[in-house]
Amino acid sequence: MQRAWRVRAPRCGGGASSPPAPKRPSPGGSCASPEYNNDSEEDMFGNYDSFSGNDSLLAQVDDLEQKYMQSVDFALHPENLENKAIVEPASGKFHMQHSKSKELVFSTTENINGFRVKEEDNFWSSPNEQEERTQELGDFILDDLPCSQPLYFKEVDASTKQANANAGNNHMNSGLGRNLNQSFCHNDVEHSKTNNEPSPNITTDLNKRKCLKDHLKSAMAGNAKAQSPQISKTKQLKEAILSEELCVAKETIEAFSVDLGPFYGLPSKVKDLFVQFRGIEKLYEWQHTCLTLESLQRRKNLIYSLPTSGGKTLVAEILILQELLCRQKDVLMILPYVAIVQEKVWALSSFGVELGFLVEEYAGSKGRFPPIKRRTKKSLYIATIEKGHGLVNALIETRRIGDLGLVVVDELHMIGEGSRGAILEMTLAKILYTSKTTQIIGMSATLNNVGDLQQFLQAEYYTDSFRPVELKEYVKIRDGIYEVDSKAENGFTFSRHLNFKYSSNLERMDPDHLIALVTEVIPNYSCLVFCPTKKNCENVAEMICKYLKKEYENHRKKEKQDLLMNLKNIGNGTICPVLKRTVSFGIAYHHSGLTSDERKSIEEAYSSGVLCLLTCTSTLAAGVNLPARRVILRAPYVATEFLKKNQYKQMIGRAGRAGIDSAGESILIVQEKDKHLVQDLINSPLENCCSNLLLEFTKGIQNLLLSLVGLQIARNFEEICNFMCGTLFGVQQKTLSKEKSLSDIIKESLESLIEKGLLKRKIMSEKEQKSPSNLAITQLGQAAYKGSIDLAYCNALYRDLKKGLEGLVLESCLHLLYLATPYDVIYHCNPDWMIYFKQYTQLSAVEQKVADIVGVPESFITKKASGQVIRTDVDTGVVNRLYLSFVLYALLKDTNVWVVSEKFNLSRGYVQNLLNSAATFCSCVLHFCEELEEFWVYKALLTELTKRLTYCVKAELVPLMEVAGVLEPRAKQLYNAGYKTLAHLANANPEILVKMVEHVSRRQARQIISSAKMLLSEKAEALQEEVEELLRMPTDTPEGLLTTATKP
């Protein structure tokens, strides 16, 4: 085998090469190695001050080049074989001899890159002979190399052995010219094919190759420029330097990835797909700068922050594709809400189908723990914050966290928001602690205390003020419009007066002049009006429509009629009376009171321009991307709380649509009483992101400590303290908890977990006294963290499940629904007692028994409905939970949100949110029961119930509902059009689908088909995994039990 210098292929996106390794003396040298002082450097070329200044060396190079050209001529004319030369590494000088057989080998020694010629008996050497020669040379060659090079030569050696094995009997070389080219031009020219006959291509290739002299000069010049590390006199320092260089080499190899093409290391096809699916032909300058940051090339963690609509997500998506395609690692993308997860799964499935990776949804009750370990394809997990945490726990437990190459967190500022922020912090802290190879990328438009986040994530920071469309901020006081100006004395500069004539009646109905503000924009441009409450959204939408001129109804009239028909189909013949009046004017409201089907239809209509104005709550600002020409803030309040700077920035960030608007405007309507508060708001910095681990006690620090012990990340107090120092809470502890130290907080939390029976102290034997482990998790604790159960409700859930075993009513699913009703929603429920009584009396006698079992007697409901005084003490939580289980029971029987919402006098959005929450909690209870043998009976029952709650449709629609973005109305349309299975949908023609199904655009048809193909691919991969697992030989099978056929 020939050893050769080769240039390492660049990593995806262009990576920096590792620093030169220190040279060490050859152990077999003839003279002793001198000791060097700290201020001295080792001469790379022995006694030569400069290779360019040494005429004899260059003369030898010229001579060698001439002989090389002669050898090429011999390769073209086999009759001259007896004159060919063999070149081998030599130390100190070049040496040439003629022989009957020759071979060219390049290597590096401590003093000089050189060649030596030796005689051999046979020119055509066999692979075995080449391997023996390589082994003889390898011992002293590798000893003389820098410590980073032997690792590379081992890699080359392995690849060459593989090539020889594939070649079989045909192991003849194509001549000296080929060997030279393999050594120096590995990255520039393709290798010529091996054959026995001279080929005319050899002559053509030779004209393209650089001469030996130029290559040697270039290699030696590069070595000369490289700084040799200073070597200490002490042996310890030498070993430290060597150890450090070995670590660098190891990290370089681990970070190495294949450069697949010109688009940031990705194939040109990826760029074409962005044009095809997104219409993106060119990246912004900041995006290019960010993608080529040195920190990303070195695989450091990164936080980047830009204003809303700046294009942050595109950078994340390119990094995700680099990880999946170049480094062949799985990726986790964490998003804040279920709707955004579904939208992203919908959008990236097309890329997955085209590029050969899987897109898996982890939201609500969807997602498998642990995820399937795929045979060939890599997976992109798109998850909510809670599901992302469960996924990371499962990967750590199965020792597969190293498979996760990249974690992307959108809306990173949410790490400072309540219990969900605490869960996000736990997730990232576990990744940082358990995997040194997983890269973390966080992005947000609203970050302030970046230093704390950098310290926590061990990350670099990149920021830019770029917006594709300029944003102009205004406030409205009375009828005056003032531009926000930080240089002005009070922060505002007068801009203009409103030019709209108001009658006394209209002034009374619209004191904030909303009609004047929106009619300056609509219907030709879009507008968003943020309102403090859901009810205010509906009232404002109706008020604006009441005073608009009739010609507004003529704008895109046909599309509005189609939208109304679609909304009517969604409601099974029923449509919201407010929407029925407002949609014809191109106006709708948008808040959580809508069903997910209605929201999706309204969002699509707004994006396409059919609707020109949405009145909405603050949740739209953090949800799907719906930009507008003008954004109006109805008041500086969210519900009854004054607006925060982060919320304000999120809302106004929706102003300005790239490629459509030349500028975006935001107008905040201010009353005189709030003027000074608004001035402070405009001039104040963004809120800090602070850890919520301590504030959210049971969902925060206690939950974290429980899972640390359960996953064996930390097994004693000292290891827990070590972990906690690396959390955001550990970074901010002195600020957040001045009264208690970190160790005191940890001790208090551990004592509480032990008291609840979730942790226990090990009783150590004499042999185990030296063991570092003295904490263990109980079965109940294991079930709690595996099921992601809030520890505040853990014992209550256990008692309810235990009580259910005593008399579980299975005639209907009511009893199971009670157990699957989430605890955290029951305290926001206010039952209508007449409805409660009516629903109770409609139950069968066996179903009424469920109420008695859980602790709600009939007499209590009757007295409440009749307004009598209740003397008996009944748990309010149990009463409310049973009422909500009645709602869920009605849903599973009727499967119509509209009918059930009217029956219980609840908003349809509330009913659907309850259904989604119950499906998620039912999945958690299922995982909880799987860890406790005594609850084995619940496993099969809850599996089926989870599926019914997730889809809440007729059984034949379930396969279609599994496709991302397909909700019940669309599933019914597809089923009626003949697309009855997943396979039907995956093999559909988009053009035919558009014709067969009403209100489906070509873009939507393509995305539905791509999502179906992705889901079908996932199912096929899962089945193949099962087959391979079944056929795989057990690793623990005793030798004597193996059959003759299976023995190696």
Side-chain angles (χ1 to χ4, degrees):
M1 169 185 167
Q2 293 84 17
R3 297 206 179 275
W5 285 105
R6 293 188 182 180
V7 180
R8 182 182 290 275
R11 74 178 292 278
C12 190
S17 61
S18 61
K23 295 185 180 295
R24 50 193 177 91
S26 172
S30 59
C31 58
S33 175
E35 289 187 344
Y36 298 96
N37 294 326
N38 287 339
D39 57 351
S40 68
E41 293 185 355
E42 182 182 359
D43 186 358
M44 295 182 64
F45 302 106
N47 297 326
Y48 296 113
D49 292 328
S50 169
F51 79 89
S52 60
N54 189 296
D55 295 333
S56 63
L57 176 61
L58 296 180
Q60 292 178 61
V61 171
D62 288 336
D63 181 61
L64 182 61
E65 183 181 1
Q66 290 175 8
K67 294 181 182 300
Y68 160 67
M69 296 307 295
Q70 292 173 7
S71 67
V72 170
D73 183 58
F74 294 156
L76 296 174
H77 303 283
E79 63 271 14
N80 296 327
L81 284 176
E82 66 274 6
N83 295 322
K84 294 185 80 175
I86 296 176
V87 187
E88 282 196 349
S91 176
K93 65 178 183 179
F94 292 101
H95 181 66
M96 296 288 293
Q97 291 181 359
H98 289 280
S99 176
K100 294 181 181 179
S101 60
K102 291 87 183 170
E103 175 184 358
L104 180 67
V105 180
F106 287 93
S107 182
T108 296
T109 61
E110 179 171 296
N111 298 325
I112 186 168
N113 291 339
F115 307 90
R116 182 179 63 195
V117 184
K118 76 171 186 179
E119 294 190 27
E120 291 187 283
D121 294 332
N122 297 311
F123 173 67
W124 301 113
S125 59
S126 67
N128 292 335
E129 291 170 341
Q130 290 182 8
E131 184 176 349
E132 289 173 4
R133 185 188 312 120
T134 300
Q135 291 172 352
E136 292 171 4
L137 293 174
D139 293 337
F140 70 86
I141 289 175
L142 296 183
D143 285 342
D144 285 344
L145 291 176
C147 62
S148 59
Q149 292 302 323
L151 293 172
Y152 171 65
F153 276 164
K154 289 178 182 178
E155 181 182 339
V156 175
D157 187 36
S159 63
T160 306
K161 285 181 180 178
Q162 183 63 36
N164 287 336
N166 294 336
N169 294 328
N170 184 13
H171 50 259
M172 295 184 178
N173 296 326
S174 60
L176 189 60
R178 172 177 169 84
N179 289 334
L180 283 167
N181 184 56
Q182 287 179 339
S183 298
F184 288 112
C185 304
H186 178 68
N187 288 332
D188 300 324
V189 204
E190 292 184 357
H191 301 314
S192 58
K193 294 183 178 179
T194 302
N195 51 60
N196 296 334
E197 298 179 2
S199 171
N201 293 333
I202 298 178
T203 307
T204 306
D205 290 342
L206 289 173
N207 293 332
K208 296 179 181 178
R209 297 168 182 161
K210 294 182 179 180
C211 70
L212 172 62
K213 176 180 176 181
D214 289 339
H215 280 303
L216 188 57
K217 280 185 178 180
S218 175
M220 297 176 74
N223 289 339
K225 290 177 182 178
Q227 294 182 358
S228 299
Q230 295 178 351
I231 304 175
S232 169
K233 292 181 180 179
T234 63
K235 182 178 179 181
Q236 290 82 358
L237 187 55
K238 284 183 180 180
E239 291 176 350
I241 294 172
L242 180 61
S243 175
E244 182 180 353
E245 289 299 320
L246 286 171
C247 291
V248 170
K250 183 178 179 182
E251 290 174 1
T252 303
I253 291 171
E254 288 176 350
F256 176 79
S257 58
V258 181
D259 191 335
L260 299 179
F263 185 64
Y264 301 98
L266 293 165
S268 299
K269 183 179 180 180
V270 175
K271 185 177 181 181
D272 296 337
L273 291 176
F274 275 111
V275 175
Q276 179 184 343
F277 297 145
R278 305 283 180 81
I280 299 172
E281 297 183 358
K282 186 179 179 181
L283 270 63
Y284 297 128
E285 185 179 343
W286 83 263
Q287 291 171 328
H288 172 75
T289 302
C290 187
L291 285 168
T292 53
L293 288 172
E294 183 184 355
S295 55
L296 283 182
Q297 312 314 315
R298 295 171 62 187
R299 290 192 57 76
K300 288 190 174 182
N301 297 339
L302 178 70
I303 300 169
Y304 64 99
S305 177
L306 281 95
T308 303
S309 303
K312 297 184 294 296
T313 305
L314 178 60
V315 170
E317 288 176 350
I318 292 174
L319 293 173
I320 286 170
L321 293 177
Q322 286 179 349
E323 197 71 24
L324 290 165
L325 303 180
C326 299
R327 298 195 72 247
Q328 291 289 301
K329 290 280 190 175
D330 296 329
V331 177
L332 169 61
M333 188 178 196
I334 299 177
L335 301 171
Y337 304 112
V338 174
I340 305 178
V341 168
Q342 293 172 342
E343 182 186 30
K344 190 58 65 178
V345 170
W346 170 278
L348 290 178
S349 290
S350 301
F351 286 86
V353 170
E354 293 292 332
L355 299 172
F357 62 87
L358 300 175
V359 180
E360 301 185 39
E361 179 182 344
Y362 279 77
S365 61
K366 293 185 178 180
R368 186 182 302 209
F369 300 104
I372 298 173
K373 188 173 178 63
R374 306 294 181 179
R375 296 177 308 113
T376 53
K377 293 185 178 180
K378 297 303 171 185
S379 293
L380 167 58
Y381 309 113
I382 304 180
T384 57
I385 292 172
E386 294 79 7
K387 285 291 184 176
H389 182 228
L391 180 64
V392 168
N393 282 346
L395 290 174
I396 292 172
E397 183 180 19
T398 55
R399 302 185 184 279
R400 288 168 50 196
I401 191 66
D403 294 345
L404 205 59
L406 176 67
V407 175
V408 174
V409 182
D410 195 10
E411 308 296 353
L412 182 61
H413 62 272
M414 289 194 71
I415 202 170
E417 297 184 10
S419 61
R420 305 194 77 215
I423 294 172
L424 180 57
E425 180 182 347
M426 288 188 281
T427 305
L428 297 176
K430 288 175 183 176
I431 293 169
L432 287 166
Y433 194 84
T434 58
S435 175
K436 303 305 179 186
T437 59
T438 304
Q439 187 180 21
I440 297 175
I441 305 292
M443 53 181 169
S444 174
T446 53
L447 289 176
N448 187 29
N449 57 327
V450 179
D452 288 350
L453 293 173
Q454 279 187 268
Q455 186 176 344
F456 164 46
L457 295 177
Q458 304 160 31
E460 302 289 322
Y461 178 60
Y462 176 83
T463 186
D464 198 295
S465 59
F466 171 81
R467 281 190 106 257
V469 177
E470 182 187 3
L471 173 62
K472 296 180 179 179
E473 297 179 48
Y474 299 95
V475 296
K476 175 192 163 297
I477 304 174
R478 296 192 183 92
D479 62 346
I481 304 294
Y482 298 82
E483 185 172 2
V484 173
D485 184 0
S486 58
K487 298 178 182 178
E489 184 176 349
N490 61 356
F492 307 135
T493 302
F494 178 78
S495 178
R496 63 185 176 91
H497 284 288
L498 281 175
N499 185 21
F500 190 90
K501 293 182 180 179
Y502 269 75
S503 64
S504 58
N505 182 46
L506 184 57
E507 184 79 34
R508 187 172 60 257
M509 293 298 297
D510 182 24
D512 295 325
H513 307 107
L514 278 170
I515 295 174
L517 292 173
V518 300
T519 52
E520 290 178 346
V521 180
I522 64 170
N524 295 322
Y525 298 98
S526 57
C527 182
L528 293 175
V529 179
F530 284 100
C531 303
T533 64
K534 289 184 284 189
K535 188 63 179 174
N536 192 234
C537 288
E538 298 177 28
N539 293 339
V540 168
E542 284 201 284
M543 184 271 294
I544 293 173
C545 291
K546 187 175 181 180
Y547 292 97
L548 285 180
K549 297 178 181 179
K550 291 294 182 182
E551 54 258 33
Y552 281 90
E553 291 183 295
N554 297 327
H555 182 74
R556 303 186 70 166
K557 189 172 184 178
K558 175 64 170 60
E559 290 98 321
K560 291 173 186 173
Q561 290 174 346
D562 290 341
L563 175 60
L564 284 170
M565 183 60 67
N566 190 30
L567 291 172
K568 191 173 183 179
N569 291 335
I570 289 171
N572 289 324
T574 308
I575 187 172
C576 170
V578 176
L579 291 175
K580 188 175 182 180
R581 288 190 292 268
T582 62
V583 166
S584 58
F585 287 91
I587 298 173
Y589 65 86
H590 185 288
H591 58 60
S592 60
L594 295 169
T595 65
S596 54
D597 300 334
E598 289 174 315
R599 279 201 303 272
K600 191 171 183 64
S601 294
I602 288 171
E603 289 163 4
E604 289 174 354
Y606 177 82
S607 298
S608 62
V610 175
L611 296 176
C612 56
L613 187 148
L614 293 182
T615 57
C616 51
T617 54
S618 59
T619 53
L620 183 77
V624 293
N625 187 22
L626 296 175
R629 173 68 174 268
R630 176 176 288 179
V631 171
I632 300 170
L633 278 68
R634 170 75 176 73
Y637 290 91
V638 174
T640 57
E641 294 185 6
F642 194 77
L643 200 63
K644 295 178 181 178
K645 185 62 175 281
N646 287 351
Q647 294 170 323
Y648 172 73
K649 282 293 186 181
Q650 289 277 1
M651 291 180 190
I652 68 172
R654 296 298 183 194
R657 297 173 299 171
I660 300 176
D661 301 325
S662 58
E665 300 174 335
S666 71
I667 301 175
L668 172 59
I669 298 174
V670 181
Q671 306 299 327
E672 279 292 337
K673 64 183 180 66
D674 296 324
K675 185 177 178 180
H676 294 295
L677 291 174
V678 170
Q679 286 177 343
D680 294 339
L681 172 71
I682 298 297
N683 298 319
S684 65
L686 295 165
E687 287 82 16
N688 288 338
C689 289
C690 296
S691 172
N692 281 273
L693 285 181
L694 191 58
L695 296 177
E696 299 290 336
F697 200 59
T698 56
K699 286 187 178 181
I701 192 166
Q702 283 195 2
N703 191 6
L704 174 58
L705 299 188
L706 180 66
S707 63
L708 290 180
V709 177
L711 293 169
Q712 297 184 358
I713 296 174
R715 297 165 297 173
N716 55 47
F717 178 77
E718 290 73 20
E719 291 178 353
I720 290 174
C721 287
N722 185 37
F723 179 94
M724 289 299 298
C725 288
T727 62
L728 180 61
F729 179 72
V731 172
Q732 299 175 334
Q733 188 267 326
K734 292 182 180 178
T735 306
L736 298 178
S737 179
K738 297 179 180 178
E739 298 175 357
K740 295 181 181 179
S741 66
L742 181 59
S743 60
D744 290 338
I745 294 169
I746 293 171
K747 286 178 183 177
E748 183 181 318
S749 301
L750 289 174
E751 289 299 328
S752 177
L753 290 170
I754 292 170
E755 187 178 326
K756 291 178 180 178
L758 302 175
L759 287 181
K760 62 183 179 182
R761 288 190 177 90
K762 281 187 177 181
I763 300 174
M764 311 292 284
S765 64
E766 292 183 4
K767 293 182 179 179
E768 295 175 327
Q769 288 298 323
K770 296 182 180 179
S771 172
S773 176
N774 58 14
L775 287 173
I777 194 167
T778 64
Q779 280 192 319
L780 180 61
Q782 185 90 351
Y785 97 80
K786 285 276 191 82
S788 301
I789 303 295
D790 186 345
L791 301 187
Y793 309 122
C794 178
N795 287 319
L797 175 62
Y798 180 82
R799 288 195 301 270
D800 288 341
L801 291 170
K802 191 78 172 174
K803 190 175 182 180
L805 291 178
E806 297 172 5
L808 189 62
V809 178
L810 294 177
E811 185 171 303
S812 72
C813 61
L814 179 60
H815 200 166
L816 283 174
L817 283 171
Y818 173 82
L819 297 174
T821 302
Y823 290 95
D824 55 357
V825 300
I826 59 180
Y827 298 104
H828 304 289
C829 172
N830 294 307
D832 184 315
W833 293 106
M834 287 304 298
I835 295 175
Y836 205 147
F837 178 74
K838 184 179 179 180
Q839 292 299 315
Y840 178 83
T841 55
Q842 290 177 355
L843 297 174
S844 67
V846 176
E847 289 172 338
Q848 288 180 355
K849 187 180 177 181
V850 174
D852 290 329
I853 292 172
V854 300
V856 184
E858 181 182 1
S859 58
F860 176 82
I861 300 173
T862 304
K863 289 180 180 179
K864 273 289 188 181
S866 60
Q868 298 180 34
V869 178
I870 306 296
R871 299 187 185 279
T872 56
D873 186 19
V874 178
D875 189 340
T876 304
V878 173
V879 173
N880 291 355
R881 197 177 184 208
L882 182 63
Y883 182 72
L884 293 178
S885 66
F886 285 173
V887 178
L888 293 171
Y889 188 42
L891 265 175
L892 291 187
K893 288 195 297 184
D894 295 330
T895 69
N896 189 319
V897 173
W898 280 85
V899 172
V900 174
S901 63
E902 290 176 3
K903 185 181 292 186
F904 286 87
N905 195 25
L906 298 168
S907 74
R908 57 197 182 280
Y910 177 87
V911 172
Q912 189 168 66
N913 289 336
L914 173 64
L915 179 65
N916 294 336
S917 298
T920 303
F921 185 69
C922 189
S923 175
C924 293
V925 176
L926 172 59
H927 292 306
F928 181 88
C929 292
E930 285 174 342
E931 299 300 319
L932 297 170
E933 186 62 32
E934 59 191 300
F935 294 145
W936 62 271
V937 70
Y938 287 116
K939 295 177 187 178
L941 296 171
L942 292 175
T943 300
E944 184 60 31
L945 184 63
T946 300
K947 192 173 182 179
R948 291 186 65 186
L949 289 170
T950 299
Y951 300 110
C952 196
V953 293
K954 293 179 179 179
E956 62 265 21
L957 297 180
V958 170
L960 300 177
M961 292 278 288
E962 290 178 340
V963 178
V966 175
L967 301 174
E968 184 181 1
R970 183 74 76 213
K972 288 180 179 178
Q973 286 181 310
L974 292 168
Y975 188 85
N976 293 333
Y979 300 101
K980 298 185 177 182
T981 66
L982 190 60
H984 288 158
L985 208 51
N987 293 285
N989 184 316
E991 296 299 327
I992 297 176
L993 185 63
V994 169
K995 294 177 182 178
M996 296 291 291
V997 181
E998 291 183 348
H999 313 303
V1000 174
S1001 65
R1002 283 179 176 80
R1003 174 177 167 273
Q1004 290 171 333
R1006 285 193 296 268
Q1007 286 184 323
I1008 289 173
I1009 293 169
S1010 293
S1011 297
K1013 286 180 178 178
M1014 177 58 64
L1015 186 57
L1016 202 61
S1017 178
E1018 285 180 27
K1019 289 177 179 287
E1021 285 279 327
L1023 290 173
Q1024 289 172 345
E1025 290 291 340
E1026 285 188 37
V1027 171
E1028 289 205 354
E1029 185 64 31
L1030 286 171
L1031 297 177
R1032 189 176 294 119
M1033 184 187 300
T1035 56
D1036 57 349
T1037 305
E1039 179 79 20
L1041 298 182
L1042 295 176
T1043 64
T1044 306
T1046 60
K1047 287 184 180 180

